[in-house]
Every structure is written in structure tokens, then in C-alpha cells.
Amino acid sequence: MTDDPARFPFPPAGDVRPPDAYHGVLHARAPHPVQLSSGQPALLVTRHEDVTAVLGDDRFSRAGYTELARPLFARKTESVLLATADAPDHTRRRRAILPAFTARQVRLLRPRLEALAEELLDDLTAGATGGETDLVGGFTVPFPMRVICEVLGVPVEDSAMLRAEVDILMSTSGHTREEVAAAQARMDEYFTALVSPPWSTASGAPPRPAPRPTTCSPGWRCARTTTPTSGCPTGRWSPSARAC
């Protein structure tokens, strides 16, 4: 390690270019010493061979990193299941979500994603001033947020609030551990309310459910079917188990 390693993440360049500090390390023949925002020393690898070696070597640990990567992992460990797990836990957790992201399920999503992209680009073009517009703020950020909301069954109108919370949750240096923990608590409360049963009875038992609809709402598939429902007017379905 050098006496004065660079701080990592590197300061942004101020535009779409990579941080200037990357220029000196991208072609380095050896791991580059850096200091994490937590103050911990680390080695930054940038060559493909080195990155592959690190990711494929069991001597390197995701779980062991959680105590060093503050404030990001001031979050509860269970809220970042893949980022903080090693095999076999990582393998088991990854296998649990794979069915929602198969090639077939992604193909089913494609018409809806294309329509959403066109909608956002139309709004972006309409709001352009003097031939200039904010591609990041108007498309590259809201597009994946909208997709995630629709796939998970989260109200789209909450996406702006969720984005603000996610910015805090994923912070590596911009927020304190206390701020990250507070955002985690707000998200716990939000999603607990979102998935809680919409009833309240003295016995605690749910009322008799209403008859299920025979057709799907546009953009969704029936929750307990594995093939597109013939009643879907748009031919678009979500891979999530959200009821239509």
C-alpha cells in the first residue's frame, strides 16, 4: 500500500465521462491501492483477468466485506441478500428468483418495455428546450424504476419516493450510517404496508375472497397462470405473481 492511496469511489468527472482518476489505473498491471469511504484500505482491480480471478476465487468473500463497506451496509444484511452472501447461500437465493428472469419471461415483458420506453422518450422530446434535454433524468433513471415497479407490483406513482430512498440506501459515501439505517426503516415500513392483507377483522381471519376476474388488466398476467390468459387484451404480462 502507498502512504496516500486514492479515495474510492473516485470523484465524478462532472459529466458522462468516467472519473478522471480511472485513467491512471485502467491499464495498471497490478492491483491499485485505494482507500474506501469507510477508511479501510483496499486493492482495486481493473483488468478482465484480475476481475475474473477475484469473482471466481472462494478465498474472496462478499459476506466478509459487509463490515467494511460502510455506510452502504449499515442496511440490514437480509435486505441485500445477493451482495452480502457467499455460496451456498448466494446460490440458493439466486436460484429462488431466477424463474422470474428466464429468457421466456423477459420476452413476455418486451412489448410493455418497448411501449414504456417510447412513452418516456416522447415526454423527453416534448420537454426539450433549445434542442437539449436531460437524458439521465428523463429516461435512464425513470425507465428502470418504472420497470421494477411494474414487475414487483409497486404503484408507479411511488417511484419518485422510492428513487430518493434508494439513492440513500445505495450510498457509499454521500450519507451517514444513521441516514442509511433510517431509509432502511422507512422502506421496511413501506413494503410491509404494501404486502399486508387489506382487511381488519376482530378474529384476524380474512373475509371470503371476491371472485377472480376472468380477464387480465392491460400489461399483466393472471397471478396463478403460467401461460398468457386469452382474455388479456394487450398480450402483455408481468412475470411477477401480482393478481390482475
Side-chain angles (χ1 to χ4, degrees):
M1 291 281 181
T2 64
D3 294 333
D4 187 24
R7 291 295 297 267
F8 186 82
F10 298 136
D15 51 31
V16 297
R17 295 174 302 161
D20 294 336
Y22 273 119
H23 298 317
V25 302
L26 285 179
H27 302 292
R29 302 297 300 175
H32 190 79
V34 294
Q35 185 182 56
L36 303 180
S37 58
S38 62
Q40 296 288 339
L43 291 174
L44 176 66
V45 294
T46 58
R47 297 192 310 160
H48 181 269
E49 311 94 280
D50 296 333
V51 173
T52 301
V54 169
L55 294 178
D57 193 323
D58 291 340
R59 291 174 296 179
F60 292 93
S61 170
R62 292 183 179 89
Y65 179 61
T66 58
E67 292 303 315
L68 303 179
R70 304 297 185 181
L72 174 60
F73 291 126
R75 297 166 59 183
K76 297 177 182 177
T77 302
E78 59 267 26
S79 76
V80 276
L81 292 181
L82 296 181
T84 61
D86 298 320
D89 286 341
H90 185 277
T91 306
R92 174 176 54 81
R93 293 167 180 172
R94 185 172 182 271
R95 187 181 298 121
I97 64 174
L98 277 179
F101 298 98
T102 62
R104 178 180 179 276
Q105 295 288 12
V106 172
R107 284 196 298 271
L108 293 177
L109 275 176
R110 183 169 183 170
R112 173 55 189 152
L113 301 188
E114 290 177 342
L116 176 57
E118 290 176 1
E119 174 188 333
L120 291 174
L121 290 173
D122 287 344
D123 292 343
L124 197 66
T125 302
T129 303
E132 295 184 356
T133 188
D134 182 2
L135 181 62
V136 173
F139 184 81
T140 58
V141 171
F143 180 70
M145 284 296 298
R146 288 278 298 273
V147 172
I148 292 170
C149 285
E150 293 195 13
V151 168
L152 296 181
V154 175
V156 173
E157 58 268 24
D158 291 343
S159 61
M161 177 273 294
L162 291 173
R163 176 189 172 186
E165 298 289 20
V166 168
D167 284 347
I168 299 173
L169 288 173
M170 298 304 296
S171 171
T172 58
S173 59
H175 296 273
T176 65
R177 291 185 60 184
E178 291 74 21
E179 290 171 333
V180 173
Q184 172 77 73
R186 291 191 295 269
M187 286 291 88
D188 287 349
E189 182 179 0
Y190 172 83
F191 283 104
T192 297
L194 188 67
V195 301
S196 294
W199 60 70
S200 177
T201 64
S203 64
R208 183 182 297 276
R212 292 184 59 78
T214 57
T215 60
C216 289
S217 299
W220 298 95
R221 69 169 172 84
C222 287
R224 295 185 180 179
T225 61
T226 56
T227 57
T229 303
S230 59
C232 288
T234 63
R236 298 193 296 264
W237 310 274
S238 166
S240 70
R242 179 167 174 79
C244 56

